[in-house]
Amino acid sequence: MSLSDTVFDGLSPQQPDGLLALIGAYRADPRPNKLDLGVGVYRDQFGQTPVFRAVKAAERLLVEQQPTKAYLGPEGDIGFLECLRPIVFGAHNTAEVFGVQTPGGTGALRLAAELLAAGRPNARLFMGEPTWPNHPQIFEPAGLQIVRYSYFDAVRQTVRFETTMQALATASAGDAILLQACCHNPTGADLSADQWDAVADLIDTRRITPIIDLAYQGLGSGLDNDAAGMRRVLEAAPEALVAYSCDKNFGLYRERTGALFALARNPANLANAASNILALARANWSMPPDHGAATVRVILEDARLTELWTAELEAMRRRLVDVRTALAKHASSLASVKGQNGLFACLSLTPEQVSALREKHAVYCAASGRINLAGLTAESIPVFSRAYQAVQRND
C-alpha cells in the first residue's frame, strides 16, 4: 500500500479559523495598550470573564448534594429543560413543546439541521448575511440548500428589511428560515417589534419553518423583551425549532450548555419530531454533558439564586448599554451602535482599515469589521474611538 492510498492522504488542508488566528496574533503583540475586540465572550470593566456568583453557589450545592454521575439519558437533564421553558417561551405559555439538552447552542443547531434534512431532504434554508460564521458550516454539511439574502447594510448600519421580506416572499411551504432572536451576531442590529410581526405573518402565509437561534437572551433589552419577537413568530408558525444557549447568559462558555426545543400544532408531528431528535442526539453524542445543565437547574429551582442570577445578568446588560452610549458620545461616526443590542457591532471597515487598526493602533477585531463591545472599558473607549476615526480618515 502506498501513502497515496491512505485516508488521511485524501484529506484537503483546511483554513484555520480566523478568530483563532486573531487570538494568536493578539497574544504575540508586545504593545502594552493593545485591545482585543475579536473574541466573542463577555468581559467586565476589568477585562475579565467572571464566573457568576449564582453559578459558584449552585456548583457548591452540586458538590455537596449530587448523588451520582450516572448517565442522564439522551434527553439530558429534564429539570433543566423544564426550568428553561418559562424563560424561553414565557411564564404563561401553554404550547406543546419537546426539549432535549445539547452540548451548547451549536449542538442544538446541528440537531436542527439534521432534523430538517431528515424531514425535508434538500430543503431550502433562508439565511441572512452577515451571520455567525459557523451557521453555514453547520447547515450546509447537512445537505440543505442555503438561500442567502442581505440582512444588514454596514454603511447605513441598518437592517435591510425590505430585502429580507423580498427573499422570504420567494419561500415555499416546507422551506425554513434561520432567525436570530436577539443581539444579532455579528451586527447587533435586531428586528423591531413591527418587523417581527411582519415576518411572523409571512411565515404563517408561506408556511415556512422557523429555526430560531436564541444565544444571548437577557443581554439586549431584558429576558422577556429579548424573546418577544421570537414568541410572536412561534405563535404564527405551525412548526418551529429553537436552539438555545446558556453559555453567555449564565457565563458557562466552557461547559457547553444548551437545548433544542421543538414546537408543533399537530401532536403527532411533535411526537415524530421528538423521536427523531432523540435518535439524532443518540447518534451524535450519545448522552449530553451534565455539569452546566445541572448548574442552571439548581439556580432556577432556587428563588434566591434565580434573583442573584437575574441581577448579575442585568448588570452585564447595563454595562453593554453603557459602552454603546459612551461610544456614540465619543464619535458621531459610531452613533449607530447606541441603537443596537448585545455584544457585537459590525462596523463599515475595509480589510485595509482592519489591518490599519491592528498595525497602527494595536486594535484587534475580526476581518469582517465585527467588534466585541465587551472588550472596551471606560479607559479604552476614547482610545478606540480615536483609532476608528483615524482609519476612517486613512490617517
Side-chain angles (χ1 to χ4, degrees):
M1 182 183 73
S2 68
L3 287 178
S4 61
D5 295 327
T6 68
V7 171
F8 293 175
D9 182 63
L11 299 176
S12 300
Q14 300 296 303
Q15 292 297 318
D17 185 277
L19 282 178
L20 295 181
L22 195 68
I23 293 170
Y26 172 81
R27 288 176 176 167
D29 191 330
R31 288 173 288 184
N33 297 320
K34 59 187 178 181
L35 289 177
D36 179 7
L37 306 184
V39 181
V41 299
Y42 175 80
R43 289 175 178 160
D44 62 19
Q45 66 270 30
F46 306 108
Q48 302 299 314
T49 302
V51 180
F52 281 41
R53 287 177 292 154
V55 166
K56 283 289 191 184
E59 289 178 321
R60 283 192 290 270
L61 289 173
L62 282 172
V63 168
E64 295 169 0
Q65 300 175 7
Q66 191 172 52
T68 183
K69 293 290 185 181
Y71 288 128
L72 291 168
E75 301 95 331
D77 189 321
I78 301 300
F80 161 75
L81 297 166
E82 289 300 315
C83 287
L84 273 186
R85 177 172 166 159
I87 292 173
V88 177
F89 302 106
H92 305 294
N93 181 276
T94 58
E96 288 295 319
V97 178
F98 171 78
V100 61
Q101 182 191 328
T102 62
T106 304
L109 288 166
R110 181 63 189 181
L111 274 191
E114 293 193 8
L115 186 72
L116 180 58
R120 299 279 297 185
N122 301 312
R124 294 195 302 170
L125 174 68
F126 286 74
M127 184 181 296
E129 292 186 324
T131 192
W132 181 41
N134 217 22
H135 277 148
Q137 296 181 55
I138 291 169
F139 286 94
E140 285 181 329
L144 304 175
Q145 300 179 43
I146 307 300
V147 180
R148 291 172 168 82
Y149 62 91
S150 179
Y151 172 82
F152 182 70
D153 186 325
V155 175
R156 294 182 174 87
Q157 288 288 299
T158 57
V159 172
R160 300 192 66 187
F161 187 65
E162 183 177 346
T163 303
T164 299
M165 294 298 282
Q166 288 172 349
L168 290 185
T170 68
S172 304
D175 287 340
I177 181 172
L178 177 66
L179 296 167
Q180 295 190 43
C182 64
C183 304
H184 188 275
N185 181 3
T187 71
D190 295 332
L191 298 177
S192 68
D194 288 343
Q195 289 170 341
W196 274 112
D197 285 344
V199 168
D201 290 342
L202 193 55
I203 282 174
D204 185 20
T205 301
R206 308 294 297 184
R207 315 304 286 173
I208 306 168
T209 299
I211 299 175
I212 300 179
D213 188 354
L214 182 51
Y216 301 95
Q217 188 182 13
L219 290 175
S221 300
L223 285 167
D224 278 327
N225 288 338
D226 285 349
M230 176 197 73
R231 292 171 186 171
R232 173 69 183 88
V233 166
L234 296 180
E235 289 173 359
E239 299 175 350
L241 294 165
V242 178
Y244 196 84
S245 173
C246 296
D247 294 351
K248 292 83 177 177
N249 60 0
F250 284 85
L252 292 168
Y253 295 96
R254 65 176 62 173
E255 305 302 344
R256 310 306 299 133
T257 305
L260 179 68
F261 295 99
L263 301 85
R265 294 176 190 169
N266 184 324
N269 284 357
L270 184 62
N272 285 340
S275 67
N276 278 269
I277 288 171
L278 289 174
L280 291 168
R282 176 70 168 147
N284 273 283
W285 47 76
S286 184
M287 310 292 174
D290 172 64
H291 184 75
T295 300
V296 171
R297 172 178 50 76
V298 169
I299 290 171
L300 297 180
E301 286 177 343
D302 185 303
R304 180 184 61 84
L305 291 182
T306 299
E307 183 178 2
L308 177 59
W309 166 66
T310 54
E312 291 180 279
L313 180 60
E314 176 62 13
M316 291 169 61
R317 188 189 75 81
R318 287 303 317 170
R319 167 166 151 67
L320 293 173
V321 170
D322 290 346
V323 169
R324 290 182 179 276
T325 302
L327 274 177
K329 179 180 178 182
H330 276 87
S332 60
S333 57
L334 292 168
S336 58
V337 302
K338 186 177 179 180
Q340 297 167 356
N341 295 310
L343 285 171
F344 305 117
C346 196
L347 304 181
S348 181
L349 291 167
T350 66
E352 293 76 18
Q353 289 169 332
V354 170
S355 294
L357 276 176
R358 182 174 65 251
E359 294 166 7
K360 295 181 180 180
H361 305 279
V363 174
Y364 286 77
C365 68
S368 64
R370 189 197 82 168
I371 63 169
N372 176 11
L373 293 131
L376 294 167
T377 64
E379 293 76 23
S380 63
I381 285 171
V383 176
F384 171 74
S385 299
R386 289 192 295 269
Y388 177 71
Q389 292 175 92
V391 299
Q392 288 284 302
R393 296 189 302 265
N394 293 319
D395 289 354

